[in-house]
Amino acid sequence: MSRESWVGRDARSIAEAVRSGQASTRTVVEDHLARIDERNGELNALVTVCAEDARAAADNLDERRLLGETLGPLAGVPFTVKDLIATAGVRTTAGSRTLADNIPAVDAPAVAAFKAAGAILIGKTNTPEFGACGLTRNELFGTTASPVRPDGVVRSPGGSSGGESASVAAGMSVLGLGTDFGGSVRWPAHCTGLTSVRPTLGRIDPEGQYPGVLSDGRVLANPATMHGTIQTIGPLARNLGDATLALRVLSKPHFSWTEPESVDVEHLDIRWAPGEGTMPVDEEILAAVRSAANSLDASEYDGLALPRANVLFGALRSVETHADIHSLAAGSVHSFDADITAMLAAGHDRSSAEVEALWADRAVLITDFLDEMGDVLILPVASVLAPPLGVESFEVGGRKLTWMDALASCRAISVLGLPSVVVPVGLSRNGLPIGVQVVARPFHEHVALSVAARITSNAQALV
């Protein structure tokens, strides 16, 4: 009689089974390695599989349990890491031929936190070069496809953490570590029906993200760049409970943690917006977001700050010189992909006064928006559903959008630095998932998680 596979089980049940001895970590890992063998050839989500290291880590964890050691909250849980995040001894390319042979000496603190909690690194996942695209493809590893295709159309899993969303959605890993600059964990979650968290800037240690500043084997965030200021690491999971557990593990120890269950949702000032105000949004997405907002009796946002946010994101991006990317690639015989080449060519070296004026605008914008948003703002993740593979422009409301335009609602929240939880709230006519952003005030992730839980419960009650 064959046993039931651990593939598809949530992180909490796997960790509980490993801690109690109901399951061995080695068995859990072997099940997920088998799943990778089964699905990854089709999806191209994982670009490096850490099979032997994962088996060794699993055996070590099982030995520790037999010795009576207390195991962590993610004991035995297989996880993957976006190939933009440093992993000690494991190739980390940032999707670039210029870093094809790069092997970091030090784990990013977020990776170390997962390992310390007992999770098992099972592989690295595909990303566009330096994460600079909303679709997951590069000239080093090729294109990643989504496992979610209810209408039979092969689609993108989003980006730039598309390898992570494809891996987690396909059951090849239980949790994923991605990065989010302009929507890179939120848009992939929307495309594949997952939950993700973009935390408040600073809640998760930013070290270990490429591009950055190399220092004694570490990759440090450069606070003088937009990337170093705004990009953050965030988790992806198949359900809200796992995403919450992952965020708690990843949060810096000196931050206090408030349980989402302690929040009284009924007494929150909840508002919603049909977008960030400058880009049209697909009608099916709008209907799903409006339904989620109505289930909470949310009032419609009528402020003036939000429409300025995506515009400011673009303005700040336009004055970047991308010196960190140039520095990382110095000495490489390989060239950049077309996306990075175009991005570098578009960069303009502006005066320090112009750049400082834009950052001053951001400070004012954040203050203005916090005066307008209430406790929580609900809005779309993107203007479009998961696009067919190879499609990079979209017709919405009679207007042609690029993928950057389509992510305007994500980019607006990124530049504001606020926490955002994405949960699936429904399906389109052809069965594609639709996600919603739940945005809270700084370091109020527990509030966003609580409201997201209520939205999920309300959506399930309607099914």
Side-chain angles (χ1 to χ4, degrees):
M1 183 177 177
S2 62
R3 64 173 179 81
E4 185 179 352
S5 172
W6 287 96
V7 170
R9 303 284 287 275
D10 62 65
R12 292 160 296 169
S13 62
I14 289 174
E16 183 179 341
V18 167
R19 287 193 299 265
S20 68
Q22 178 188 345
S24 72
T25 308
R26 181 62 178 264
T27 299
V28 173
V29 165
E30 292 293 354
D31 283 353
H32 285 83
L33 290 174
R35 183 68 163 180
I36 291 169
D37 287 341
E38 175 189 347
R39 298 299 308 275
N40 197 50
E42 170 196 8
L43 302 177
N44 191 35
L46 279 80
V47 295
T48 301
V49 180
C50 310
E52 292 311 310
D53 287 348
R55 289 182 176 112
D59 290 344
N60 176 264
L61 196 72
D62 287 335
E63 289 172 9
R64 288 170 52 203
R65 185 190 65 79
L66 290 173
L67 291 172
E69 290 189 30
T70 300
L71 304 183
L74 296 180
V77 175
F79 75 105
T80 42
V81 175
K82 183 179 183 178
D83 205 28
L84 208 68
I85 302 173
T87 43
V90 178
R91 180 177 61 168
T92 302
T93 72
S96 178
R97 290 173 295 180
T98 65
L99 294 176
D101 300 316
N102 178 51
I103 300 179
V106 181
D107 276 329
V111 175
F114 261 26
K115 288 181 176 179
I120 307 295
L121 176 63
I122 206 166
K124 302 297 292 290
T125 58
N126 205 18
T127 176
E129 188 172 27
F130 291 109
C133 181
L135 304 166
T136 300
R137 76 287 196 272
N138 59 60
E139 294 177 18
L140 179 61
F141 296 118
T143 300
T144 297
S146 172
V148 181
R149 48 189 79 167
D151 55 357
V153 176
V154 181
R155 296 178 180 273
S156 172
S160 60
S161 302
E164 279 306 312
S165 63
S167 178
V168 174
M172 293 187 288
S173 54
V174 181
L175 296 175
L177 278 184
T179 65
D180 191 301
F181 179 57
S184 291
V185 297
R186 290 166 289 164
W187 161 238
H190 165 76
C191 288
T192 56
L194 299 180
T195 293
S196 68
V197 183
R198 176 190 165 90
T200 307
L201 294 172
R203 176 174 282 281
I204 296 175
D205 195 318
E207 183 182 319
Q209 300 178 80
Y210 289 83
V213 179
L214 296 181
S215 176
D216 294 328
R218 299 159 64 191
V219 187
L220 307 179
N222 185 347
T225 67
M226 186 185 180
H227 177 272
T229 301
I230 288 176
Q231 181 161 293
T232 178
I233 291 172
L236 296 97
R238 288 191 293 271
N239 62 66
L240 189 59
D242 279 1
T244 302
L245 175 60
L247 181 64
R248 184 169 189 172
V249 167
L250 293 168
S251 295
K252 289 180 182 178
H254 59 270
F255 284 120
S256 62
W257 178 262
T258 303
E259 293 296 341
E261 293 79 8
S262 69
V263 176
D264 184 356
V265 175
E266 304 296 336
H267 287 84
L268 294 176
D269 179 1
I270 302 175
R271 306 181 189 186
W272 79 284
E276 45 66 63
T278 68
M279 296 293 165
V281 176
D282 176 87
E283 286 296 332
E284 286 191 276
I285 295 173
L286 277 180
V289 173
R290 185 181 295 111
S291 177
N294 288 342
S295 75
L296 295 168
D297 294 324
S299 58
E300 189 162 357
Y301 169 84
D302 61 357
L304 301 175
L306 189 58
R308 292 155 44 200
N310 178 50
V311 175
L312 180 59
F313 185 104
L316 284 167
R317 192 65 165 156
S318 72
V319 301
E320 291 279 271
T321 63
H322 308 290
D324 289 342
I325 292 178
H326 284 295
S327 178
L328 286 168
S332 173
V333 298
H334 298 289
S335 59
F336 293 119
D337 290 3
D339 287 331
I340 294 295
T341 300
M343 185 181 78
L344 296 179
H348 299 290
D349 194 2
R350 304 289 179 86
S351 71
S352 60
E354 289 178 286
V355 175
E356 289 171 14
L358 288 174
W359 285 105
D361 288 345
R362 177 177 180 258
V364 173
L365 178 64
I366 291 171
T367 300
D368 289 348
F369 182 71
L370 290 175
D371 287 342
E372 298 174 350
M373 70 168 285
D375 297 313
V376 171
L377 180 71
I378 297 167
L379 75 166
V381 176
S383 292
V384 297
L385 301 164
L389 222 55
V391 174
E392 302 204 8
S393 65
F394 319 99
E395 187 82 22
V396 181
R399 185 171 170 183
K400 181 163 281 190
L401 307 183
T402 66
W403 64 261
M404 285 183 286
D405 296 331
L407 299 185
S409 290
C410 278
R411 287 155 54 105
I413 300 307
S414 290
V415 82
L416 293 165
L418 302 177
S420 175
V421 175
V422 169
V423 288
V425 290
L427 299 174
S428 70
R429 286 186 295 272
N430 57 350
L432 292 173
I434 299 173
V436 64
Q437 287 193 82
V438 182
V439 179
R441 300 179 75 82
F443 296 102
H444 280 60
E445 283 84 355
H446 61 291
V447 174
L449 290 164
S450 181
V451 172
R454 180 67 64 87
I455 289 173
T456 301
S457 176
N458 291 343
Q460 290 171 345
L462 294 174
V463 176

